[in-house]
Amino acid sequence: MESARLQLQQGKDNGNGAVVTRLDGKLSLETVNSFLQTMRKEQGKHLVLEMSGLSFLDSAGVGALVSLFVTRKHAGKTMTLASLTKQAIAVLQVSGILKLIPTYPTVEAAVNAREQV
């Protein structure tokens, strides 16, 4: 059986406090620990997770997103999701998380929305 993998392509602060990180692969039980270890270190004021490369999202992945969102909120930082796949939208909708974490159709929309806040 092929092991689950998740690659994170972390961007740099673009000058307005927003940092974009692209997720490629599966955000699932096998990958959430490394995802959280890496992403909790992100110092950017506003984190945009670009999720068009996400091939699979399960309940453990949803839990990791919520955990990261709450951790950042308590630290006075924000997080949004951008470019969600149909599967990710379905999972987040069923779990009710779309009401909690702001989502945008594109990275540009997520970054621009943050600049207006």
Side-chain angles (χ1 to χ4, degrees):
M1 187 168 128
E2 183 184 332
S3 66
R5 65 166 191 84
L6 178 67
Q7 291 183 327
L8 302 173
Q9 297 173 347
Q10 293 182 274
K12 300 286 181 227
D13 188 329
N14 60 5
N16 65 358
V19 175
V20 178
T21 296
R22 178 178 164 83
L23 281 66
D24 282 305
K26 297 179 180 184
L27 185 53
S28 61
L29 184 59
E30 300 88 353
T31 61
V32 292
N33 286 336
S34 61
F35 168 76
L36 286 172
Q37 284 178 351
T38 302
M39 297 312 301
R40 283 190 176 138
K41 295 174 189 167
E42 179 53 62
Q43 294 299 310
K45 182 81 175 136
H46 179 61
L47 175 63
V48 177
L49 295 180
E50 198 275 301
M51 301 179 67
S52 64
L54 205 62
S55 60
F56 182 75
L57 176 66
D58 70 4
S59 59
V62 171
L65 291 173
V66 171
S67 174
L68 183 60
F69 178 80
V70 170
T71 299
R72 291 185 62 80
K73 188 170 186 166
H74 286 296
K77 299 175 183 174
T78 59
M79 181 181 102
T80 58
L81 307 177
S83 306
L84 293 163
T85 63
K86 286 182 181 179
Q87 191 264 336
I89 289 171
V91 170
L92 293 171
Q93 211 160 21
V94 167
S95 63
I97 301 307
L98 288 180
K99 295 178 183 138
L100 173 70
I101 303 175
T103 60
Y104 296 91
T106 64
V107 169
E108 292 77 17
V111 170
N112 290 337
R114 177 62 195 139
E115 289 174 354
Q116 319 226 333
V117 173

